[in-house]
């Protein structure tokens, strides 16, 4: 079999279609609260990070505009084992922040392949997570997202998810949904 | 002579001509019935009350502004809030800490809209008045330095020393915790804190007891809630009653040092109950803690051996040091310094400030602390624990916000406001304390004595009593006399019963 060329042409296009389908399916599992199935899509070395954003000068925006993953305070900066704890909490039935359950839609758009180093692919996208709760409580979490996905014998898995939420002060009262 | 830009709010409201009819229609003290444990919902919902709080409480209370390690170097600044006023925590070129009102003296523009940074000069974007942090250029850091067209506009005669950024007249650095007070006549910070300082010590000192040897992690969690700020203060002040229900889900999962299935604060399974001597502490001047300094439990047992090694050693060193000083080992909180700075001094170790926005909106800020000299793996373990525990993403705090917001929403209605909240837990069961002007609850979980004292002090401030009156009222603690009377009466009754028994 010929070596595939993911830098351009049909191979790149098919790869993007395949991964898009995977990520939309993954988003759907979250919206339908099928968390156990969703956890199966996360690699064992999965890492989830959402740094804080800060108001800094134009010249510093790239270097100091967000807190550092791995050493500073973030909204999230955690391994799969912590994500699993969050899923357990949601399932208790007494996690009041999501009881009664919210209505959530994950929109993933502007999806682009950034880098292919098979079996891993790095992707760039924009996210919009909409939450409506109880009656008029409505939150929008919007920003940039970087994913690393890995092709395995069992299909695609997510290895890394890094999100830049476009808020310095969180305008929602909490982050009890997965972004 | 006091500079004209020294902020002072001793007389915060414009004076009103005396008339036959009283001008003030609402008295906060009428809404708080401490004796019967009943507090009006208006305290939390009324715009008029909120306005009184902003005028009479926040500009006169000691407020937490930030941590000194956030402004470690000359020129460093950190943007903060004192009530609804934006302020800059700054360090001048000589290393002194100042708190300045972040509003240009010309047209009020926020001179600095960055969250943090380093500069020796704040230049207003509007008309470019600039303020210097360099004491060699101006009389006092924060003073007006540059004014465009000085000659043409002001004939060179603008009185620059009188038009500097408004400087907070009282700033106190307690072991790295920076507090400020707008009222130059306010009581000194150490008097204001009183014996509550033991909790501040445990917050600011390293885990091995080294004084003030802590720092904050870079990054302050900031989020908005649709709730009155006092719900937040009260929650940490001594409301241990909410844990079992509110935090049932996180406790079922277990996110603490002991790992999955173990308790979230890290107490061992045989610790933490009333039987171990845990009672709450309530101060006459409004501060409160969920525990007492005699309530001594060692640091948690961790899954990781290297964590146990660090904390076992820290506990030993601390015990030796404090024993030598004759100091108690307890007092980790959670606790609230009146009115809006809450913290926990153990697991987690974190500071929270509830910045008021309106009667029904609050911006909550959270800082996390670690020992300055802790090894990297300890800091990293704590950082992970703090993030999964607290803040809007934290598995514990998420559920608090749900309660505060919907309690607020369900209390707004006209009918709802006719019915007060109940604060009767443990009325008449308070216990004596070894601490100055303080009493304890008689139970670890129930007991609302802390909240009753908080709202009593709150009302005294909100009704704008003078500093003389405020000081006088808190000079003694009438709850102590009540406990003594109660105990004497009980002893007398027991003696009488004994006597009649022996006569028979």
């Amino acid at each position: 079999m010929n070596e595939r060329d993911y830098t351009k042409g049909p191979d790149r296009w098919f790869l993007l279609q395949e991964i898009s389908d995977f990520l939309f399916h993954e988003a759907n599992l979250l919206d339908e609260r099928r968390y156990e199935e969703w956890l199966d899509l996360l690699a064992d070395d999965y890492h989830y990070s959402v740094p804080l954003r800060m108001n800094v000068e134009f010249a510093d925006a790239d270097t100091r505009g967000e807190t550092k993953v791995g050493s500073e305070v973030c909204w999230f900066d955690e391994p799969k084992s912590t994500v699993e704890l969050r899923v357990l909490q949601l399932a208790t039935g007494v996690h009041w922040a999501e009881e009664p359950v919210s209505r959530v839609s994950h929109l993933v758009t502007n999806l682009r392949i950034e880098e292919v180093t098979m079996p891993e692919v790095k992707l760039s996208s924009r996210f919009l997570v909409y939450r409506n709760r109880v009656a008029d409580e409505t939150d929008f979490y919007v920003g940039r997202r970087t994913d690393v996905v890995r092709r395995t014998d069992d299909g695609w898995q997510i290895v890394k998810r890094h999100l830049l939420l476009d808020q310095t002060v969180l305008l929602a009262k909490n982050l009890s949904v997965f972004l | 002579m006091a500079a004209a830009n020294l902020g002072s709010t001793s007389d915060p409201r414009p004076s009103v001509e005396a008339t036959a009819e009283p001008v003030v229609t609402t008295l906060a003290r009428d809404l708080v019935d401490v004796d019967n444990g009943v507090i009006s919902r208006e305290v939390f919902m009324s715009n008029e009350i909120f306005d009184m709080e902003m005028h009479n409480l926040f500009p006169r209370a000691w407020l937490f502004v930030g941590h000194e390690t956030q402004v470690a170097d000359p020129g460093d600044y950190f943007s903060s809030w004192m009530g609804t006023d934006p302020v800059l925590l700054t360090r001048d070129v000589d290393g002194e800490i100042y708190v300045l009102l972040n509003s240009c003296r010309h047209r009020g523009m926020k001179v600095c809209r960055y969250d943090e940074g380093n500069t020796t000069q704040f230049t207003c974007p509007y008309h470019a008045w600039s303020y210097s942090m360099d004491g060699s250029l101006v009389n006092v850091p924060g003073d007006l330095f540059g004014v465009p067209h000085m000659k043409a506009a002001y004939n060179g005669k603008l009185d620059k020393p009188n038009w500097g950024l408004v400087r907070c007249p009282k700033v106190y650095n307690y072991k790295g915790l920076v507090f400020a007070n707008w009222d130059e006549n306010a009581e000194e910070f150490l008097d204001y804190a009183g014996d509550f300082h033991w909790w501040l010590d445990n917050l600011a000192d390293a885990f091995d007891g080294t004084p003030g040897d802590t720092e904050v992690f870079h990054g302050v969690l900031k989020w908005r809630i649709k709730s009155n700020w006092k719900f937040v203060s009260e929650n940490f002040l001594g409301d241990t009653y909410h844990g079992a229900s509110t935090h049932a889900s996180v406790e079922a999962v277990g996110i603490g040092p002991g790992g999955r299935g173990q308790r979230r604060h890290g107490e061992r399974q045989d610790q933490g109950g009333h039987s171990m001597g845990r009672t709450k502490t309530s101060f006459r001047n409004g501060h409160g803690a969920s525990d007492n300094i005699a309530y001594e439990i060692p640091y948690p047992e961790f899954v990781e051996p290297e964590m146990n090694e660090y904390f076992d050693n820290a506990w030993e060193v601390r015990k030796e040091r404090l024993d030598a000083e004759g100091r108690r080992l307890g007092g980790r909180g959670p606790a609230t310094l009146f009115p809006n700075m809450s913290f926990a001094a153990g697991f987690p170790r974190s500071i929270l400030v509830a910045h008021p926005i309106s009667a029904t909106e609050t911006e909550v800020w959270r800082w996390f602390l670690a020992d300055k000299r802790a090894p990297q793996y300890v800091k990293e373990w704590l950082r992970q624990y703090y993030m999964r525990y607290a803040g809007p993403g934290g598995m514990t705090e998420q559920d608090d916000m749900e309660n505060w917001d919907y309690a607020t929403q369900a209390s707004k209605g006209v009918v709802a406001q006719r019915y007060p909240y109940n604060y009767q837990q443990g009325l008449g069961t308070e216990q004596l304390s070894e601490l100055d002007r303080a009493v304890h609850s008689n139970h670890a979980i129930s007991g609302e004595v802390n909240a009753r004292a908080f709202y009593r002090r709150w009302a005294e401030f909100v009704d704008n009593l003078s500093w003389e009156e405020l000081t006088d009222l808190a000079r003694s603690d009438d709850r102590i006399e009540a406990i003594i009377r109660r105990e004497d009466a009980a002893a007398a009754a027991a003696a009488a019963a004994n006597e009649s028994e022996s006569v028979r």
Side-chain angles (χ1 to χ4, degrees):
Chain A
M1 200 171 86
N2 289 341
E3 189 75 2
R4 295 191 187 279
D5 179 5
Y6 292 117
T7 61
K8 59 183 189 300
D11 284 343
R12 187 177 181 86
W13 191 84
F14 281 117
L15 182 66
L16 183 61
Q17 291 311 302
E18 191 182 333
I19 295 173
S20 300
D21 192 50
F22 166 70
L23 290 177
F24 299 159
H25 167 65
E26 184 249 337
N28 197 54
L29 290 180
L30 277 177
D31 292 345
E32 293 182 356
R33 299 184 306 281
R34 292 154 64 186
Y35 296 118
E36 292 301 327
E37 290 171 70
W38 176 71
L39 283 175
D40 287 341
L41 302 185
L42 309 184
D44 288 342
D45 54 343
Y46 176 72
H47 192 89
Y48 174 48
S49 55
V50 188
L52 306 183
R53 306 289 294 279
M54 286 169 296
N55 291 297
V56 293
E57 294 177 35
F58 185 88
D60 294 337
D62 290 337
T63 51
R64 302 183 59 238
E66 63 206 62
T67 52
K68 291 185 178 63
V69 169
S71 61
E72 300 182 340
V73 175
C74 300
W75 296 120
F76 299 101
D77 184 7
E78 63 195 35
K80 185 178 180 181
S81 56
T82 303
V83 175
E84 288 171 339
L85 295 178
R86 296 181 186 278
V87 168
L88 284 175
Q89 185 179 28
L90 286 163
T92 58
V94 288
H95 182 25
W96 310 118
E98 290 296 327
E99 231 17 273
V101 293
S102 301
R103 287 154 292 281
V104 180
S105 281
H106 285 76
L107 277 65
V108 184
T109 182
N110 301 27
L111 188 67
R112 286 188 305 115
I113 292 173
E114 284 216 328
E115 202 182 319
V116 182
T117 45
M118 278 304 178
E120 294 189 351
V121 180
K122 186 178 175 187
L123 302 141
S124 149
S125 63
R126 294 292 180 275
F127 68 93
L128 187 158
V129 178
Y130 168 89
R131 174 175 70 176
N132 170 267
R133 154 146 217 85
V134 182
D136 59 356
E137 189 182 351
T138 302
D139 298 305
F140 291 89
Y141 310 91
V142 183
R144 283 184 273 165
R145 174 171 128 177
T146 308
D147 291 325
V148 174
V149 296
R150 183 186 292 147
R151 183 179 256 158
T152 73
D153 292 341
D154 300 328
W156 290 96
Q157 285 197 321
I158 304 158
V159 181
K160 197 179 277 189
R161 174 158 294 162
H162 177 70
L163 304 104
L164 285 179
L165 180 65
D166 287 341
Q167 289 176 2
T168 57
V169 176
L170 183 74
L171 299 178
K173 75 170 189 283
N174 66 24
L175 284 160
S176 51
V177 293
F178 294 106
L179 297 183
Chain B
M1 195 184 81
N5 61 325
L6 203 60
S8 174
T9 49
S10 282
D11 186 15
R13 295 191 130 174
S15 61
V16 178
E17 290 294 315
T19 58
E21 297 297 316
V23 175
V24 176
T25 52
T26 303
L27 270 182
R29 278 165 295 173
D30 292 343
L31 303 175
V32 176
D33 181 353
V34 172
D35 294 337
N36 295 303
V38 172
I39 295 178
S40 166
R41 296 189 189 208
E42 284 180 60
V43 164
F44 305 88
M45 302 297 142
S46 154
N47 292 329
E48 188 187 353
I49 288 288
F50 182 82
D51 195 40
M52 289 164 69
E53 287 177 336
M54 292 310 107
H55 281 92
N56 305 334
L57 171 60
F58 279 85
R60 299 199 298 159
W62 281 95
L63 306 174
F64 180 73
V65 176
H67 196 271
E68 68 169 3
T69 56
Q70 294 182 280
V71 288
D73 299 318
D76 280 357
Y77 66 86
F78 169 68
S79 291
S80 191
W81 291 95
M82 290 173 70
T84 48
D85 287 305
V87 295
L88 291 162
L89 172 62
T90 61
R91 204 183 274 274
D92 75 351
V93 294
D94 296 323
E96 287 298 311
I97 283 178
Y98 291 87
V99 176
L100 305 167
L101 186 69
N102 189 356
S103 178
C104 184
R105 291 296 301 281
H106 178 236
R107 283 296 179 277
M109 174 62 183
K110 203 169 183 179
V111 294
C112 176
R113 286 151 300 127
Y114 303 115
D115 294 327
E116 56 184 35
N118 183 286
T119 187
T120 54
Q121 183 168 299
F122 295 101
T123 302
C124 177
Y126 201 170
H127 305 92
W129 280 28
S130 68
Y131 303 88
S132 178
M133 294 309 294
D134 184 345
S136 69
L137 299 177
V138 288
N139 290 348
V140 185
D143 272 3
L144 184 58
F145 176 60
V147 177
H149 305 294
M150 181 67 169
K151 191 151 188 352
Y154 302 100
N155 198 22
K157 286 178 182 162
L158 178 66
D159 184 14
K160 289 208 282 191
N162 276 332
W163 292 96
L165 289 179
V166 176
R167 202 162 63 243
C168 192
K170 282 178 118 73
V171 176
Y172 195 87
N173 183 345
Y174 190 86
K175 296 183 170 181
L177 310 167
V178 182
F179 298 90
N181 192 315
W182 284 114
D183 191 343
E184 59 192 329
N185 299 316
E187 67 181 324
E188 297 305 321
F189 179 77
L190 294 179
D191 295 329
Y192 182 90
D195 271 354
F196 184 77
H197 78 80
W198 297 118
W199 279 265
L200 293 173
D201 291 327
N202 289 338
L203 172 66
D205 296 348
F207 278 111
D208 71 358
T210 308
D213 203 21
T214 47
E215 62 188 9
V216 291
F217 281 97
H218 185 230
V220 179
L221 298 179
K222 304 173 180 179
W223 72 101
R224 294 276 177 96
I225 58 174
K226 289 189 172 57
S227 166
N228 187 275
W229 64 272
K230 293 186 292 298
F231 274 103
V232 187
S233 287
E234 189 189 316
N235 190 77
F236 298 98
L237 175 76
D239 183 354
T240 45
Y241 190 58
H242 80 285
S245 173
T246 297
H247 301 305
S249 64
V250 68
E251 206 64 288
V253 172
I255 62 165
R260 204 179 270 198
Q262 302 294 305
R263 296 162 77 178
R264 69 199 150 95
H265 293 292
E267 310 98 316
R268 296 159 206 224
Q269 299 300 324
D270 60 348
Q271 294 169 346
H274 177 53
S275 57
M276 299 293 293
R278 180 172 182 170
T279 58
K280 308 175 201 192
T281 309
S282 165
F283 290 86
R284 173 60 183 88
N285 54 9
H287 320 308
S290 308
D291 59 353
N292 61 74
I293 59 170
Y295 174 65
E296 170 192 329
I297 50 168
Y299 297 145
E301 198 164 4
F302 293 81
V303 173
E304 301 80 0
E306 68 273 21
M307 290 294 290
N308 280 325
E309 199 180 318
Y310 182 80
F311 280 100
D312 287 350
N313 177 65
W315 179 258
E316 245 170 71
V317 172
R318 179 170 181 268
K319 184 168 167 47
E320 200 170 315
R321 183 196 304 265
L322 270 56
D323 283 352
E325 294 172 15
R327 244 181 83 180
R328 299 285 204 171
L329 291 170
R332 278 183 215 159
T336 295
L337 178 84
F338 180 84
N340 70 333
M341 181 236 197
S342 300
F343 59 90
F347 301 87
R349 176 182 286 215
S350 176
I351 299 167
L352 173 149
V353 172
H355 298 294
I357 294 175
S358 73
T360 55
E361 193 173 10
T362 300
E363 187 168 306
V364 188
W365 285 18
R366 201 176 256 296
W367 291 253
F368 295 114
L369 289 90
D371 291 355
K372 272 184 191 166
R373 290 173 298 135
Q376 197 47 44
Y377 63 85
V378 170
K379 288 186 183 176
E380 179 55 17
W381 190 97
L382 291 173
R383 189 182 71 95
Q384 292 277 335
Y385 170 54
Y386 295 161
M387 289 186 298
R388 71 175 178 263
Y389 187 102
M395 294 170 64
T396 303
E397 201 144 39
Q398 290 174 6
D399 289 325
D400 288 313
M401 269 83 80
E402 185 79 2
N403 290 332
W404 303 334
D405 279 19
Y406 284 98
T408 298
Q409 194 188 87
S411 296
K412 275 181 189 167
V414 170
V415 173
Q417 288 205 38
R418 292 177 191 156
Y419 297 89
Y421 292 149
N422 182 303
Y423 286 86
Q424 295 173 337
Q425 259 181 41
L427 261 179
T429 67
E430 292 84 353
Q431 304 293 314
L432 291 175
S433 173
E434 62 187 303
L435 299 171
D436 183 29
R437 286 164 291 162
V439 300
H440 297 300
S441 68
N442 76 335
H443 196 270
I445 304 300
S446 74
E448 289 166 337
V449 55
N450 295 23
R452 288 191 292 271
F454 177 91
Y455 290 109
R456 173 155 72 154
R457 194 56 167 166
W458 170 87
E460 290 164 359
F461 268 88
V462 170
D463 284 342
N464 208 22
L465 300 189
S466 68
W467 272 110
E468 201 182 358
E469 291 169 300
L470 288 170
T471 313
D472 261 359
L473 283 166
R475 206 181 299 283
S476 64
D477 189 340
D478 54 0
R479 300 174 301 173
I480 295 170
E481 287 104 67
I483 296 169
I484 293 170
R485 278 198 304 275
R486 188 188 78 217
E487 289 182 348
D488 285 352
N498 241 343
E499 207 165 297
S500 68
E501 190 76 16
S502 57
V503 165
R504 213 175 290 164

